């Protein structure tokens, strides 16, 4: 039984990111892998899981969630053992070393990623994003929608999830998006990210299953249509597929 | 245009110039066939005189209606109710222009002294309240909506709270705004509780994902699914351990299980039966909020109820019309809270369902909220996905286990819906978000069936 845990949906559930867990469970079941989805609200002890999903949220709830997870310690312990993590937006920031709290002061994160987030100046990064994944990840272009003010700097111990083709990602300067560390992935992409990028969902499932299951092919024709349409939307704007430094759209 | 011009002579020069410019622009816009043109005139007038909203509301009583969902409908219901108590036409802003430019555009052409009911975008409540010194403010609900371009919902609640607090302080004369506020929505209660003069109403809010976190302490709001309604003491439907708790409402809705309609029950025990043409429990809640707003203007609840009962559609919403040869009921939903209500509404009807999703600026450019909607409840129904973002919807429906077809063109989708349905007499339920709804309904030419 594969268990997918949605961590603190009451605090980190603002941008449809709960959909990531629905995608993981469905894609496991369609391959005949028994899977269950567990919602883990912040007032109950975090249950054991194979894959943990952290979503986006507002500043206050984000800080509260981080405090609870740090005090409990079980998420970090599970990830150090064999757990898999998908952390999105506010969740990505929580999984780093530190992020800005409600008052702008630095709040300690879980340290899953060697990453520090600070509050960006100027406009929020809002819009469609295209990311070329890092070479070691066997997945195609990532598509999603970002909506954040935070600027994330990766330390030397954590690689980026990919390079920004269009959009902002971790910061306007770095051209990097998200983070990969062991079997944890962090990203700013909503959409939800796994709905738009089934290969990333399958990668997380493979990490979690190890030799417990084989993921056969399934019909992703509708998702392919969605991906084609989203990637083509950049071309429709006649801006072409420039590098991120041209992309302050 | 001349009927009301005399009263502007007392205005400062800048205001007079602003009003006259807006008149000319509105007249030109109408002649060019660009509809009412009130936003164009209002925008320019606002540029010329930033205080014009204050001037134009000084000689009239004003009601404001705001909230994430239901504000267009509630505004229309309140206009109908207030018309019963007014000898001159009640002023109101036209659909889709619920920011100050739209308010000005409507007020510039209005009769002197005519009462005004203004639908107000959530983000402009403070500005419009400060300028209009409204007699009544109706606050319906707050939930996530278009997160790519608006503030996060808690921030909105905080801004409302500040606006209503300062409104309460401003008037030492005892003339504070009466706030008719939804006691079932913790974010609305947070916004309104500091106001001096609140009428709490149990207006319902089935969508709770934005208010499980207490707006006061960050703790958990616990909902009591079966509050005791018959006892003498009030059993709050929600509460937080910090003491933040649902206030006792002065009125609530009891559905009539044996016949059409529903009753408004007042705390004193009186009941008022309502039979609306508008469908859905949420519209009875909207009507109750309007009814209590109208009461402040001296319109009796029974008189308000009979006026509201005549409203059959709101800017095409809830209308049944023939579109591309297909009998269609037109419904609008643009966020998870609105969808939660409409899913229940269409669960009662058996026809095919055509869902249209666009993601233009007016819709919000990030449709990931589709994953917050429980589309799983449509399993077994005939469903067609349409609109510019039909593939986002198709993927969502696939993961929800809902069989569906995809048809990017909305009118073609309506035809496909009819073809797929076995019972050929069934009316197609079309549910679109803002711009796709507008495209489909505007193109239909209003041919009701
Ligand atoms: Zn509390």
């Amino acid at each position: 039984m594969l268990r997918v845990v949605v961590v603190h949906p009451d605090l980190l559930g603002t941008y449809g990111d709960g959909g990531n867990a629905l995608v993981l469970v469905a894609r496991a079941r369609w391959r005949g892998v028994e899977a269950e989805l567990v919602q883990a609200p912040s007032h109950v002890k975090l249950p054991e899981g194979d894959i943990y999903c952290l979503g986006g949220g507002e500043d206050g709830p984000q800080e509260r969630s981080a405090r609870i997870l740090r005090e409990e310690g079980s998420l970090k312990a599970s990830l150090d053992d064999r757990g898999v993590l998908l952390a999105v937006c506010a969740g990505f920031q929580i999984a780093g070393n530190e992020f800005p709290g409600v008052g702008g002061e630095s709040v300690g994160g879980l340290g899953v990623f060697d990453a520090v987030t600070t509050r960006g100046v100027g406009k929020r990064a809002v819009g469609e994003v295209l990311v070329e994944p890092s070479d070691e990840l066997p997945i195609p272009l990532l598509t999603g929608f970002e909506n954040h003010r935070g600027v994330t700097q990766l330390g030397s111990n954590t690689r980026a999830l990919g390079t920004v083709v269009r959009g902002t990602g971790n910061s306007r300067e770095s051209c990097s998006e998200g983070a990969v560390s062991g079997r944890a992935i962090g990203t700013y992409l909503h959409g939800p990210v796994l709905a738009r990028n089934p290969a990333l969902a399958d990668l997380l499932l493979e990490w979690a299953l190890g030799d417990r299951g084989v993921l056969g092919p399934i019909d992703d024709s509708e998702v392919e249509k969605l991906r084609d349409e989203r990637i083509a939307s950049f071309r429709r704007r006649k801006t072409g597929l420039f590098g991120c430094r041209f992309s302050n759209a | 245009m001349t009927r009301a011009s005399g009263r502007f002579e007392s205005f400062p020069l800048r205001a007079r110039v602003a009003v006259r410019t807006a008149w000319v622009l509105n007249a030109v816009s109408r002649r060019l066939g660009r509809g009412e043109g009130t936003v164009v005139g209002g925008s320019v007038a606002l540029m010329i005189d930033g205080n014009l909203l204050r001037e134009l509301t000084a000689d009239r009583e004003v009601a404001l209606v705001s909230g994430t969902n239901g504000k267009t409908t509630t505004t229309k219901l309140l206009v109908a109710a207030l018309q019963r108590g007014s000898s001159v036409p009640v002023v109101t802003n036209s659909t889709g222009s619920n920011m100050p430019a739209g308010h000005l555009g409507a007020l510039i052409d209005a009769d002197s002294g005519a009462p005004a009911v203004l639908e107000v975008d959530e983000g402009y409540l403070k500005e419009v309240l400060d300028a209009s010194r409204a007699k009544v403010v109706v606050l319906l609900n707050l939930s996530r909506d278009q997160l790519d371009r608006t503030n996060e919902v808690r921030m909105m609640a905080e801004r409302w709270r500040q606006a209503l607090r300062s409104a309460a302080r401003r008037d030492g004369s005892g003339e504070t705004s009466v706030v008719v506020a939804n006691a079932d929505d913790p974010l609305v209660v947070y916004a309104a509780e500091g106001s001096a003069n609140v009428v709490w109403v149990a207006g319902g809010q089935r969508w709770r994902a934005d208010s499980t976190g207490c707006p006061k302490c960050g703790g958990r709001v616990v909902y009591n699914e079966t509050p005791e309604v018959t006892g003498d003491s009030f059993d709050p439907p929600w509460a937080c351990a910090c003491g933040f708790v649902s206030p006792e409402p002065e009125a609530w809705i009891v559905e009539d299980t044996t016949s059409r309609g529903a009753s408004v029950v007042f705390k004193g025990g009186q009941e008022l039966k309502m039979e609306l043409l508008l469908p859905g429990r949420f519209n009875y809640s909207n009507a109750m909020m309007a009814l209590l707003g109208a009461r402040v203007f001296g319109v009796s609840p029974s008189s308000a109820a009979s006026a509201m009962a005549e409203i059959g559609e709101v800017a095409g919403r809830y209308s049944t019309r023939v579109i591309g040869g297909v009998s269609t009921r037109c419904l609008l939903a643009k966020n998870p809270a609105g969808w939660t209500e409409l899913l229940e509404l269409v669960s009662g009807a058996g026809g095919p369902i055509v869902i249209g999703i666009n993601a233009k600026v007016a819709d919000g450019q990030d449709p990931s909220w589709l994953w917050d909607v429980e589309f799983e409840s449509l399993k077994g129904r005939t469903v067609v996905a349409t609109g510019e973002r039909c593939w986002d919807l198709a993927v969502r429906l696939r993961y929800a286990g809902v069989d569906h077809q995809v048809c990017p063109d909305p009118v073609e989708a309506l035809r496909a819906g009819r073809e797929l349905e076995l019972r050929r007499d069934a009316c197609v339920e079309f549910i679109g978000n803002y711009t796709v709804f507008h495209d489909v309904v505007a193109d239909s030419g209003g041919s009701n069936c």
Side-chain angles (χ1 to χ4, degrees), chain A residues 10 13-16 19 23 26-27 30 43 58 64 126 145 147 191-192 195-196 219 222-223 225-226 230, chain B residues 144 147-148 152-154 212 217-220 365-366 368 371-372 389 391-392 394-396 398-399 404 406:
Chain A
D10 51 326
T14 310
Y15 291 92
V23 169
R27 296 184 74 82
W30 290 341
H43 64 279
E58 299 179 15
R64 189 178 174 86
V126 181
F145 193 96
N147 185 352
R196 287 217 208 167
D219 176 11
E222 284 183 329
V223 184
K225 289 254 177 44
L226 168 60
R230 285 294 82 210
Chain B
R144 63 188 67 177
L147 291 170
D148 59 310
E152 289 169 330
V153 60
R154 269 154 206 288
T212 50
C217 74
R220 192 166 64 102
Q365 292 177 291
D366 174 15
S368 50
W371 292 78
D372 290 329
R389 301 301 290 268
W391 295 110
D392 291 78
V395 170
R396 171 70 188 101
R398 171 159 158 75
Y399 282 106
H404 59 275
V406 181

Side-chain angles (χ1 to χ4, degrees), chain B residues 121-400:
Chain B
D121 180 276
E122 303 90 282
Y124 287 89
L125 185 66
K126 178 172 171 49
E127 193 176 336
V128 179
L129 180 58
D130 283 350
S132 67
R133 298 165 179 253
K135 188 181 180 81
V136 171
V137 184
V138 179
L139 301 180
L140 301 167
N141 48 64
L142 278 174
S143 65
R144 63 188 67 177
D145 186 32
Q146 301 191 20
L147 291 170
D148 59 310
R149 67 166 194 156
T150 61
N151 281 300
E152 289 169 330
V153 60
R154 269 154 206 288
M155 225 185 298
M156 196 67 83
E158 188 62 47
R159 281 167 65 181
W160 276 17
R161 186 175 166 94
Q162 301 305 332
L164 293 163
R165 255 210 194 129
S166 58
R169 279 203 208 105
R170 189 182 57 217
D171 253 320
S173 61
E175 281 198 36
T176 52
S177 303
V178 176
V179 181
V180 177
N182 183 358
D184 287 338
D185 185 337
L187 290 172
V188 169
V189 173
Y190 178 73
E193 66 170 1
S195 179
N197 202 348
V198 190
V199 177
W200 297 111
V201 185
Q205 171 76 322
R206 216 164 307 188
W207 171 258
R208 290 172 182 170
D210 292 308
S211 50
T212 50
C214 173
K216 272 207 161 144
C217 74
R220 192 166 64 102
V221 172
V222 180
Y223 286 86
N224 177 0
E225 298 303 335
T226 52
E228 188 67 51
V229 289
T230 50
D232 289 333
S233 65
F234 172 60
D235 189 12
W238 58 264
C240 174
C242 75
F244 184 55
V245 60
S246 167
E248 183 171 5
E250 290 187 30
W252 55 93
I253 292 284
V254 174
E255 280 172 282
D256 196 329
T257 50
T258 56
S259 69
R260 272 180 54 83
S263 294
V264 181
V265 180
F266 295 90
K267 198 160 79 179
Q270 312 95 301
E271 281 191 32
L272 176 68
K273 171 90 180 180
M274 288 197 291
E275 253 185 69
L276 300 178
L277 290 173
L278 297 178
R281 190 167 75 178
F282 56 98
N283 275 327
Y284 280 90
S285 290
N286 290 335
M288 172 175 58
M289 303 284 287
L291 188 121
L292 283 146
R295 197 174 66 172
V296 181
F297 280 71
V299 178
S300 77
S302 60
S303 176
S306 76
M308 295 189 295
E310 291 168 15
I311 304 291
E313 63 171 278
V314 180
R317 303 167 199 183
Y318 313 112
S319 67
T320 302
R321 46 184 76 201
V322 179
I323 301 172
V326 182
S327 293
T328 306
R329 178 160 71 157
C330 303
L331 301 168
L332 182 131
K334 51 191 171 65
N335 53 44
W339 261 103
T340 303
E341 301 293 348
L342 280 197
L343 281 175
E344 196 203 69
L345 178 65
V346 298
S347 74
I353 297 169
V354 176
I355 302 172
I357 301 295
N358 278 0
K360 294 190 197 304
V361 172
D363 303 304
Q365 292 177 291
D366 174 15
S368 50
W369 57 268
L370 290 170
W371 292 78
D372 290 329
V373 178
E374 293 248 356
F375 285 111
E376 284 79 0
S377 70
L378 295 180
K379 271 181 207 167
R381 299 288 293 266
T382 301
V383 178
V384 182
T386 188
E388 292 167 356
R389 301 301 290 268
C390 56
W391 295 110
D392 291 78
L393 178 61
V395 170
R396 171 70 188 101
L397 292 171
R398 171 159 158 75
Y399 282 106

